[in-house]
Amino acid sequence: MDRIEECISFQLGKAYQQITRRAREALAMHGITPVQYATLCVLWERDGLSCADLCARLILDSATMTGIVDRLETAGCVERRRGPDGDRRLSRVYLTASGNTLREPLQAAMDAMNREIDAHLGQAAGAVRRALTAIGASSREAT
Amino acid sequence: MDRIEECISFQLGKAYQQITRRAREALAMHGITPVQYATLCVLWERDGLSCADLCARLILDSATMTGIVDRLETAGCVERRRGPDGDRRLSRVYLTASGNTLREPLQAAMDAMNREIDAHLGQAAGAVRRALTAIGASSREAT
DNA sequence: TACAAGATACTTGTATGCAAGATATATGAA
DNA sequence: TTCATATATCTTGCATACAAGTATCTTGTA
């Protein structure tokens, strides 16, 4: 394990870097970043989630989530609402009309990219997906 | 591809996030970050490289490299030297005694982690490594 | 030689990502 | 009721990561 290029942690990081770069380019014309897309994705599936819900789903720190929602709100894609009735600590995140309009083009772009990666992997795609999911889940419950 | 968890780009990102977290914990006692370790790794193999050499090897932006070398220099692991003889644009990065002392414990910690990941992947390790390397290399030359 | 073009490192601005802590709110026990 | 504790979000500080631009130096060419 002398050369850094032979470390699986390095290989994983560079693969991630490359995919992120391509996603950034694919989404740039809409002014959305990859992480912002992931956040919108969860909201398209179920609107009005709290920041804590989004953090759990996207496996992100609450400090990171605050900034992401801040920028999505500034961009006019979502808005925070703190219900005067419910728990006033919670700030629920709701899609705006603009946020919903982005769904079709963004999902089309990202689906195309993900399909391309799968095609690139060929028969190994299933094994790679299982391996990545296993690594991602490993010892997260042990924390 | 409705749920973000099913996108390979998301799975890749979360696997990377998990590995980075473990590497950060393994290196924290030495005050070194994962990227700083990768930089030292390259220098242990060949000392006195320029920033451009390090950028090419680690596939990083020169702006990122400046900050990493800054912090390694502040930590006393390396020092920059601009030869009065050679190309004065170049600033070569040299390991200090302290930087060399870190080699054994850091490589031991990271080798153990990488072996653990490989063991976790089992028979799929080879295919996963090849897939990650292929993704990492894809269309980088096309830029 | 003198200048255009390229290379090298650095700076600035923005966006994650996490650690640590602050603030406001809710909830349970005494 | 009242206070300790827990929760949800936000703030601050630091470390990547990249885009865009700057300053300095080198080199090829007229």
XYZ file of all heavy atoms in Angstrom, chain A residues 103-140:
276
model
N -38.380 20.420 -11.046
C -38.356 18.964 -10.905
C -38.061 18.222 -12.202
O -37.154 17.396 -12.264
C -39.680 18.472 -10.311
C -39.708 16.963 -10.137
C -40.891 16.514 -9.312
N -40.809 15.089 -9.031
C -41.612 14.450 -8.187
N -42.547 15.126 -7.532
N -41.478 13.165 -7.969
N -38.844 18.508 -13.238
C -38.683 17.758 -14.487
C -37.284 17.878 -15.075
O -36.616 16.867 -15.289
C -39.740 18.195 -15.509
C -41.171 17.800 -15.140
C -41.329 16.292 -14.945
O -40.607 15.525 -15.606
O -42.162 15.882 -14.120
N -36.807 19.089 -15.352
C -35.494 19.186 -16.006
C -34.352 18.649 -15.147
O -33.441 18.001 -15.663
C -35.337 20.683 -16.275
C -36.273 21.351 -15.336
C -37.428 20.419 -15.170
N -34.406 18.908 -13.835
C -33.302 18.450 -12.986
C -33.285 16.926 -12.882
O -32.221 16.309 -12.998
C -33.415 19.063 -11.587
C -33.215 20.578 -11.481
C -33.120 20.992 -10.016
C -31.974 21.018 -12.226
N -34.441 16.339 -12.676
C -34.451 14.870 -12.572
C -34.051 14.236 -13.891
O -33.366 13.206 -13.903
C -35.826 14.387 -12.117
C -36.025 14.549 -10.617
C -37.186 13.744 -10.072
O -38.097 13.371 -10.795
N -37.141 13.483 -8.770
N -34.450 14.843 -14.996
C -34.057 14.295 -16.298
C -32.536 14.305 -16.434
O -31.928 13.315 -16.847
C -34.701 15.098 -17.421
N -31.918 15.421 -16.057
C -30.464 15.543 -16.187
C -29.748 14.539 -15.277
O -28.808 13.864 -15.698
C -30.024 16.969 -15.857
N -30.210 14.441 -14.041
C -29.525 13.553 -13.096
C -29.799 12.085 -13.393
O -28.913 11.247 -13.246
C -29.949 13.905 -11.666
C -29.394 15.231 -11.188
S -27.581 15.262 -11.112
C -27.299 14.290 -9.649
N -31.009 11.774 -13.824
C -31.301 10.386 -14.193
C -30.416 9.948 -15.343
O -29.898 8.833 -15.355
C -32.778 10.248 -14.577
C -33.680 10.177 -13.356
O -33.148 10.278 -12.235
O -34.907 10.040 -13.528
N -30.226 10.846 -16.302
C -29.372 10.511 -17.442
C -27.958 10.232 -16.965
O -27.323 9.262 -17.392
C -29.383 11.657 -18.446
N -27.470 11.066 -16.055
C -26.105 10.877 -15.559
C -25.988 9.559 -14.798
O -25.032 8.807 -14.990
C -25.694 12.044 -14.670
C -24.197 12.112 -14.461
S -23.731 13.214 -13.102
C -24.172 12.200 -11.692
N -26.948 9.279 -13.948
C -26.870 8.050 -13.167
C -26.979 6.807 -14.051
O -26.285 5.813 -13.810
C -27.976 8.053 -12.095
C -27.587 8.874 -10.878
O -26.631 8.554 -10.184
N -28.305 9.958 -10.624
N -27.831 6.901 -15.066
C -27.932 5.752 -15.985
C -26.626 5.545 -16.731
O -26.194 4.420 -16.963
C -29.073 5.966 -16.979
C -30.422 5.464 -16.480
C -31.421 5.348 -17.638
N -31.556 6.606 -18.353
C -32.418 7.569 -18.033
N -33.200 7.422 -16.989
N -32.494 8.673 -18.735
N -25.976 6.666 -17.068
C -24.707 6.578 -17.791
C -23.631 5.901 -16.933
O -22.851 5.095 -17.426
C -24.271 7.994 -18.172
C -23.237 8.057 -19.276
C -22.781 9.494 -19.510
O -23.644 10.400 -19.493
O -21.579 9.698 -19.687
N -23.627 6.239 -15.653
C -22.663 5.602 -14.758
C -22.940 4.110 -14.664
O -22.034 3.280 -14.758
C -22.725 6.223 -13.350
C -22.389 7.711 -13.407
C -21.763 5.508 -12.402
C -22.722 8.446 -12.119
N -24.202 3.764 -14.499
C -24.571 2.350 -14.421
C -24.153 1.610 -15.687
O -23.613 0.504 -15.619
C -26.086 2.231 -14.213
C -26.461 2.264 -12.730
O -25.613 1.887 -11.903
O -27.586 2.672 -12.409
N -24.382 2.255 -16.832
C -24.007 1.618 -18.092
C -22.497 1.444 -18.165
O -21.987 0.418 -18.623
C -24.505 2.452 -19.267
N -21.783 2.451 -17.663
C -20.325 2.412 -17.663
C -19.819 1.244 -16.813
O -18.810 0.623 -17.132
C -19.800 3.742 -17.126
C -18.337 3.937 -17.286
N -17.737 4.000 -18.521
C -17.344 4.097 -16.383
C -16.436 4.178 -18.357
N -16.181 4.237 -17.073
N -20.540 0.952 -15.740
C -20.123 -0.125 -14.844
C -20.514 -1.492 -15.400
O -19.898 -2.501 -15.060
C -20.756 0.068 -13.458
C -20.295 1.316 -12.710
C -21.000 1.400 -11.364
C -18.789 1.302 -12.512
N -21.537 -1.533 -16.238
C -21.942 -2.792 -16.847
C -22.418 -3.794 -15.825
O -23.183 -3.458 -14.923
N -21.925 -5.011 -15.954
C -22.386 -6.084 -15.075
C -22.010 -5.868 -13.614
O -22.644 -6.403 -12.718
C -21.797 -7.413 -15.548
C -22.392 -7.920 -16.859
C -21.955 -9.331 -17.168
O -20.861 -9.731 -16.769
N -22.792 -10.087 -17.845
N -20.961 -5.078 -13.396
C -20.496 -4.878 -12.021
C -21.388 -3.916 -11.247
O -21.242 -3.765 -10.034
C -19.057 -4.364 -12.031
N -22.328 -3.251 -11.935
C -23.118 -2.195 -11.301
C -23.792 -2.662 -10.011
O -23.718 -1.975 -8.974
C -24.163 -1.670 -12.279
N -24.411 -3.823 -10.066
C -25.113 -4.306 -8.879
C -24.171 -4.505 -7.706
O -24.440 -4.040 -6.593
N -23.036 -5.161 -7.966
C -22.069 -5.424 -6.902
C -21.509 -4.119 -6.345
O -21.328 -3.962 -5.132
C -20.937 -6.305 -7.429
N -21.256 -3.158 -7.234
C -20.699 -1.878 -6.794
C -21.713 -1.132 -5.927
O -21.382 -0.604 -4.868
C -20.288 -1.018 -8.007
C -19.914 0.388 -7.575
C -19.115 -1.665 -8.732
N -22.972 -1.111 -6.361
C -24.010 -0.451 -5.568
C -24.111 -1.065 -4.179
O -24.187 -0.365 -3.177
C -25.379 -0.599 -6.254
C -25.607 0.373 -7.385
C -26.909 0.003 -8.078
N -27.273 0.978 -9.068
C -27.912 2.112 -8.794
N -28.236 2.386 -7.545
N -28.203 2.962 -9.747
N -24.107 -2.398 -4.122
C -24.216 -3.056 -2.819
C -23.007 -2.733 -1.955
O -23.127 -2.470 -0.766
C -24.348 -4.575 -3.013
C -25.769 -5.011 -3.371
C -25.906 -6.533 -3.313
N -25.087 -7.223 -4.313
C -25.430 -7.382 -5.586
N -26.579 -6.899 -6.023
N -24.639 -8.021 -6.421
N -21.826 -2.714 -2.590
C -20.605 -2.419 -1.832
C -20.640 -0.995 -1.284
O -20.326 -0.755 -0.112
C -19.384 -2.611 -2.717
N -21.047 -0.044 -2.124
C -21.081 1.351 -1.691
C -22.087 1.536 -0.559
O -21.815 2.223 0.426
C -21.455 2.256 -2.868
C -20.408 2.400 -3.972
C -20.948 3.247 -5.101
C -19.112 2.991 -3.419
N -23.251 0.923 -0.707
C -24.267 1.043 0.329
C -23.763 0.437 1.637
O -23.981 0.986 2.721
C -25.562 0.337 -0.118
O -25.973 0.901 -1.362
C -26.665 0.542 0.904
N -23.052 -0.698 1.524
C -22.518 -1.343 2.726
C -21.481 -0.448 3.402
O -21.493 -0.272 4.620
C -21.894 -2.692 2.355
N -20.594 0.144 2.597
C -19.587 1.035 3.176
C -20.257 2.244 3.812
O -19.923 2.657 4.924
C -18.589 1.507 2.089
C -17.739 0.339 1.607
C -17.694 2.616 2.631
C -16.844 0.684 0.429
N -21.236 2.796 3.128
C -21.918 3.979 3.649
C -22.646 3.700 4.949
O -22.723 4.566 5.823
N -23.159 2.484 5.081
C -23.930 2.155 6.285
C -23.044 1.677 7.418
O -23.440 1.736 8.573
C -24.953 1.077 5.957
N -21.813 1.226 7.110
C -20.965 0.583 8.111
C -20.674 1.483 9.289
O -20.256 2.618 9.130
C -19.646 0.146 7.469
O -18.872 1.273 7.158
N -20.954 0.981 10.436
C -20.621 1.620 11.721
C -21.238 2.995 11.876
O -20.815 3.784 12.687
C -19.113 1.720 11.918
O -18.558 2.683 11.063
N -22.266 3.305 11.046
C -22.960 4.553 11.298
C -23.910 4.349 12.472
O -24.142 5.252 13.264
C -23.738 5.004 10.060
C -24.168 6.449 10.168
C -24.198 7.119 8.811
N -25.073 6.393 7.890
C -24.808 6.199 6.604
N -23.707 6.664 6.090
N -25.630 5.543 5.834
